[in-house]
Amino acid sequence: MSERAPKINISEAEIRAVYHQGEEAVVELVTGLLSRLTVVEARLEKLENQQKKTSRNSSKPPSGDGFGKRTQSLRKKSQRRSGGQPGHQGNTLEWRESVDEVVTHEVHNCDVCGLSLSSVSAVAYERRQVHELPPLNLQVIEHQVEVKCCPECAAISRGKCPADVSVPVQYGSGLRGLMVYLKIAQLLPSDSTREVLREV
């Protein structure tokens, strides 16, 4: 609850009455007035500080800035058109001569007369390329450790798993790296990270 500033309301007659009561009464009156003035000054300073706060210099949301005049940008309007400038070499997807898959879309009938073209060879191909990610599937790798018995001394010897394969079922280093990337680099919450991993 905000602190209400005390009202200072004293008439001239009251001041004169205090004056006639003597020095101590005057000192008491002035001391009380100074005390009230201190509270008023503190409240005024608090209100001024609140007024100075905006979304730019505090955690205050932009909606609390009101309709006051906003700071104008000092940048001058450029004479250039928006978008790519003349002489600028744009970056586009590059055509690749080596592709991973070719999908042929056959012509079955003539577009004009409807004649079957199944036995007619193509005279040309219009080519278009799509850069696409392959479907993401979880790859499960089973490590089998050989166990052999020595025919000479009957000792049992076992192969060795990689150092990072230490329990019967676990996540691989690639999947663990993806988890760390999503959590640390992309700042995803745990629930969102789990959702992404379920999708991929």
Side-chain angles (χ1 to χ4, degrees), residues 10-50:
I10 184 169
S11 66
E12 182 179 343
E14 290 173 325
I15 295 174
R16 292 183 182 279
V18 170
Y19 174 76
H20 288 297
Q21 290 176 11
E23 183 180 344
E24 289 299 324
V26 172
V27 171
E28 184 179 349
L29 174 64
V30 174
T31 303
L33 291 174
L34 289 174
S35 176
R36 292 181 178 185
L37 185 60
T38 301
V39 174
V40 171
E41 287 177 341
R43 180 172 174 79
L44 180 61
E45 183 180 2
K46 181 179 178 181
L47 290 173
E48 287 177 343
N49 289 337
Q50 285 180 350

Side-chain angles (χ1 to χ4, degrees), residues 4 25-26 28 35 49 51 63 71 76 82 90 122 136 145 152 181 187:
R4 184 178 295 276
V26 172
E28 184 179 349
S35 176
N49 289 337
Q51 192 175 15
S63 58
T71 304
K76 295 181 180 179
S82 60
L136 293 175
V145 178
E152 183 69 27
Y181 172 75
L187 303 177

Side-chain angles (χ1 to χ4, degrees), residues 37-179:
L37 185 60
T38 301
V39 174
V40 171
E41 287 177 341
R43 180 172 174 79
L44 180 61
E45 183 180 2
K46 181 179 178 181
L47 290 173
E48 287 177 343
N49 289 337
Q50 285 180 350
Q51 192 175 15
K52 291 177 183 176
K53 286 184 179 180
T54 67
S55 60
R56 294 176 180 270
N57 59 19
S58 69
S59 59
K60 187 177 180 181
S63 58
D65 288 346
F67 298 100
K69 184 177 180 182
R70 296 177 181 268
T71 304
Q72 296 295 323
S73 174
L74 299 178
R75 292 182 60 186
K76 295 181 180 179
K77 188 174 181 180
S78 174
Q79 300 299 321
R80 297 180 178 181
R81 295 180 303 171
S82 60
Q85 303 301 314
H88 172 71
Q89 186 176 359
N91 294 321
T92 60
L93 290 177
E94 294 181 1
W95 184 270
R96 294 191 180 180
E97 293 303 327
S98 175
V99 298
D100 300 296
E101 181 182 1
V102 174
V103 179
T104 302
H105 304 279
E106 298 179 348
V107 179
H108 298 287
N109 299 93
C110 175
D111 290 338
V112 177
C113 67
L115 180 70
S116 174
L117 301 177
S118 299
S119 60
V120 178
S121 300
V123 295
Y125 288 92
E126 292 182 5
R127 299 166 65 195
R128 301 176 185 178
Q129 292 186 348
V130 177
H131 294 223
E132 182 61 280
L133 283 173
L136 293 175
N137 293 312
L138 188 65
Q139 183 182 24
V140 179
I141 303 170
E142 181 174 297
H143 292 262
Q144 297 184 350
V145 178
E146 282 188 337
V147 180
K148 293 184 177 180
C149 178
C150 177
E152 183 69 27
C153 65
I156 300 296
S157 299
R158 292 177 172 81
K160 297 186 183 300
C161 267
D164 60 345
V165 181
S166 55
V167 295
V169 181
Q170 66 181 64
Y171 290 123
S173 58
L175 189 56
R176 291 199 302 271
L178 177 60
M179 292 178 190

